[in-house]
Amino acid sequence: MAGLSKLRRVQISGVLVALAFVFKNTSELTAITNLIMLAATVVAGTPILKRAVGALKYKILGIDALVSIAVIGALAIGEYWEAAAVTFLFMLGDYLEARTIEKTRSSIKALLELAPDTARVLRDGAEVEVSPDEVVAGDVVIIRPGEKIPVDGTVLEGTAYVNQAAITGESIPLSKQPEDNVFSGTIIESGYLKVRADRVGEDTTFARILQMVEEAQDKKAETQKFLERFSRYYTPSIIVLAALIYLFSRDLVLALTLLVIACPGALVISAPVSIVAGIGNGARHGVLIKGGEIMEKLGKSKVLAFDKTGTLTVGKPAVTKVKAYNIGEKELLRLAAIGESYSEHPLGRAIIEQAERELGPLTETPDEAELITGHGLKAVIGGETILIGNRKLFADHNVSLAGVEAYLAGEEAKGQTAIIVGNLSGVLGVISIADTVREDAKALIDTVKRLGIAKIAMLTGDNPGTAKSISDQLGIDEYYAELLPQDKVRILNELRTRYGAVAMVGDGVNDAPALASADVGIAIGGAGTDVAMETADVVLMSAQLKQLAHAIGLSRATVRNLKQNIVFALIVAGLLLAGVLVKTVNLSFGMLIHEANVLLVIVNAVRLLGYSAD
Amino acid sequence: MTTKTYQLETLTCPSCLAKIEGALKKTAGVIESEVLFNSSKAKVTFDETVVSSEEIRKTIEALGYKVLGEK
């Protein structure tokens, strides 16, 4: 009897309750009916009573104790049907809640299943299969198509396409070759890799993500703490109320019914189920949100601040404009590219890349070329001397810039680096180069504004021209340029005073102080970066901006879900209390509503698992 | 002093937490206890010379919650 599983108890007592219901309404055999009801009560009620007694030993009055008192009371006054129905409903509710609540936590289980289970390592020249826990740092691991990489490591040999969804949430395979880093838990779709194990077991990024998600799930949100405080007063007040009612009206049934609804189950559970589902959804999309409090803060943030331009730009200069005087634009680009042939300068590389894109591979080389550090270069192409560089270069060679000065100044004000191309007799043209904005950045800014971020700010150490140009292109509301790290902290404080909670996005490495001083610090591209993973409040595993949109959208959806749950639970609790007091709700009906309320709150939270930003 | 994590059956009501935590804290030898609702785990720091891991398990199970594993 004691060994019956929860499900068995629910089934047996369910059948008995149904039987009793039929007998009650059709036959006159009261004794048999009562016996069946009693049996149902014992089957379903034993574990409740056991828990209640166990808790009372430690002077703790839980819902089990309240239900037990109500049921014993009901039996004492001959309300066998109520006793059977209440215990059955309570156990059924408990069982269904366990099943549905598992669902809200299913994301982490799904993640766990991605963990590697075997590893093939080279030991004394031979391949041996071992458990991933037995791999030590420095081992050489071999991974074939379809297999999971069991360690964080560096590719020694081979090439492969690797699906990194377990880490980044991004399932488009990435190409990996020698020197590249690979992560534990990711899968080789095609190809073959020999990897040197750098981190193994619990130290791998994958293992740490799992651990962080698990910890995050149980970090309480502010709302949750408040609800727990509330319920600490709610339950005893209802018990006192029940006692008072019995004392004054001698209405035992009413008093017992109050006990059954005294536990604000749905209210207490409303916040944690939403939070756990939200965090689980994030984890599956490469967004690690470290706890309920952070989820709430992010969901309520008003300002999104980007630390430095690099997050929004490609981070690599590119030619944005070619202006030619007296020669064709293509010819100008060709000359400049040939001149830069031997240059390793990033600006020179940008010119060559643009020329090859427009004109095809370059075959010509300059007759001679001389790099003049800080000024540019002087090359001889087809017998003609060509100057490529800044104002100083042209001043040194006494070439006048009078005709183009206005244009140069205009370009520079737009944040462009203007490279002047000319010969010894005059200027041939100007090539503008700048870091370009990321293609997904514009879409991101639009999305987060739609999601309810009131102000978007950019804090950068770059010059004002570059900052303005980028913020104009993207529709950023405010930019602050030429900042030192300590300035950023001050500006964040100003933004907070003016608009409200600030979420700050950065790489989590160079900008740790700024991220720490924001209400929510978001590190982008955090996979594999220890500092970012440890210190940021929210870690976006990949460098993709759409993960940022997902994080912000998800946090808002979670906060919304949580509010729906609280409001719903409060309304039902209020109606239930009123219903009991005016005697339209009896013992078993009260229990039914109570359990249904809890279930609905959980089911609402499960919806969050399907949230998607696009 | 040892810290162990016990995996419990799925916890469904947060008030169970208070109950398990409270009971553990009142157990002699237990220095610290934290019950995690969502992961359904109990983290317990205890003095091995006073109380055994087995006794802690029994305490939790006596309250009506199955212990599925420990580490």
Side-chain angles (χ1 to χ4, degrees), chain A residues 6 50-51 54-55 58-60 62-64 94 97-98 101-102 105 214 217-218 228 263 268-269 272-273 276, chain B residues 9-19 22-23 26-27 36-41 43 59 62-65:
Chain A
K6 220 187 243 179
K50 220 174 112 191
R51 284 188 180 188
Y58 296 97
K59 300 189 186 71
I60 297 158
I63 184 161
D64 304 310
D94 196 47
E97 282 151 26
I101 217 163
E102 285 271 294
R105 301 165 180 167
E214 218 177 58
Q217 286 184 332
D218 278 300
E228 281 172 13
C263 181
V268 181
I269 214 167
V273 288
V276 76
Chain B
E9 64 177 303
T10 307
L11 299 178
T12 51
C13 86
S15 63
C16 311
L17 303 192
K19 200 157 72 182
K26 285 174 191 162
T27 305
L36 303 173
F37 175 58
N38 285 310
S39 41
S40 305
K41 280 179 182 165
K43 254 192 216 171
T59 307
L63 294 171
Y65 303 93

Side-chain angles (χ1 to χ4, degrees), chain A residues 235-306:
Chain A
T235 307
S237 329
I238 299 287
I239 297 172
V240 170
L241 183 64
L244 288 177
I245 283 179
Y246 179 66
L247 275 180
F248 288 103
S249 69
R250 295 281 146 189
D251 190 340
L252 188 58
V253 178
L254 179 59
L256 293 179
T257 313
L258 272 176
L259 289 185
V260 165
I261 63 150
C263 181
L267 201 56
V268 181
I269 214 167
S270 57
V273 288
S274 298
I275 299 281
V276 76
I279 288 176
N281 174 307
R284 301 208 63 182
H285 289 87
V287 177
L288 175 53
I289 298 170
K290 292 194 194 158
E293 195 182 339
I294 288 160
M295 181 69 94
E296 272 193 325
K297 276 190 187 164
L298 182 61
K300 290 173 180 166
S301 52
K302 295 277 178 287
V303 187
L304 185 62
F306 288 90

Side-chain angles (χ1 to χ4, degrees), chain B:
Chain B
M1 208 169 79
T2 324
T3 301
K4 280 204 168 175
T5 307
Y6 301 86
Q7 179 69 53
L8 313 180
E9 64 177 303
T10 307
L11 299 178
T12 51
C13 86
S15 63
C16 311
L17 303 192
K19 200 157 72 182
I20 303 173
E21 236 165 64
L24 287 172
K25 280 188 182 136
K26 285 174 191 162
T27 305
V30 171
I31 297 152
E32 212 187 316
S33 75
E34 186 189 6
V35 183
L36 303 173
F37 175 58
N38 285 310
S39 41
S40 305
K41 280 179 182 165
K43 254 192 216 171
V44 189
T45 308
F46 57 96
D47 185 345
E48 271 177 313
T49 57
V50 182
V51 66
S52 72
S53 176
E54 192 51 37
E55 284 169 291
I56 289 173
R57 265 181 104 117
K58 280 195 185 131
T59 307
I60 299 173
E61 297 206 319
L63 294 171
Y65 303 93
K66 279 202 188 90
V67 177
L68 306 175
E70 62 177 69
K71 80 171 175 182

Side-chain angles (χ1 to χ4, degrees), chain A residues 41-113:
Chain A
T41 311
V42 171
V43 171
T46 313
I48 308 175
L49 189 64
K50 220 174 112 191
R51 284 188 180 188
V53 172
L56 282 173
K57 272 190 215 150
Y58 296 97
K59 300 189 186 71
I60 297 158
L61 193 65
I63 184 161
D64 304 310
L66 298 180
V67 172
S68 300
I69 296 170
V71 169
I72 292 168
L75 290 175
I77 52 172
E79 294 274 357
Y80 297 111
W81 168 250
E82 292 294 311
V86 164
T87 47
F88 165 67
L89 287 171
F90 186 71
M91 284 303 280
L92 176 68
D94 196 47
Y95 173 74
L96 292 177
E97 282 151 26
R99 293 293 301 268
T100 38
I101 217 163
E102 285 271 294
K103 233 189 156 102
T104 65
R105 301 165 180 167
S106 61
S107 298
I108 180 144
K109 287 233 168 63
L111 267 183
L112 268 170
E113 278 160 19

Side-chain angles (χ1 to χ4, degrees), chain A residues 400-536:
Chain A
S400 162
L401 295 174
V404 294
E405 188 49 60
Y407 179 78
L408 287 178
E411 284 300 286
E412 278 160 0
K414 280 190 270 173
Q416 308 284 322
T417 303
I419 307 284
I420 313 159
V421 184
N423 53 25
L424 293 174
S425 53
V427 173
L428 296 171
V430 178
I431 297 176
S432 304
I433 295 178
D435 194 359
T436 50
V437 304
R438 286 170 59 158
E439 276 177 31
D440 47 356
K442 179 79 183 130
L444 169 86
I445 303 287
D446 293 344
T447 309
V448 295
K449 280 190 175 170
R450 205 181 58 235
L451 288 170
I453 295 282
K455 288 281 168 196
I456 296 174
M458 187 170 72
L459 279 56
T460 174
D462 271 353
N463 63 63
T466 309
K468 181 176 190 319
S469 156
I470 290 169
S471 77
D472 284 351
Q473 285 177 66
L474 292 174
I476 286 170
D477 300 301
E478 294 179 15
Y479 69 87
Y480 302 86
E482 284 175 341
L483 298 181
L484 297 170
Q486 59 268 35
D487 298 332
K488 292 183 180 171
V489 175
R490 176 177 49 82
I491 287 167
L492 285 177
N493 287 332
E494 282 174 25
L495 286 171
R496 184 181 303 123
T497 326
R498 265 192 290 157
Y499 304 116
V502 182
M504 171 126 195
V505 189
D507 63 12
V509 181
N510 308 313
D511 43 23
L515 289 199
S517 69
D519 295 287
V520 182
I522 306 173
I524 196 161
T529 324
D530 286 356
V531 200
M533 293 237 318
E534 296 297 337
T535 55

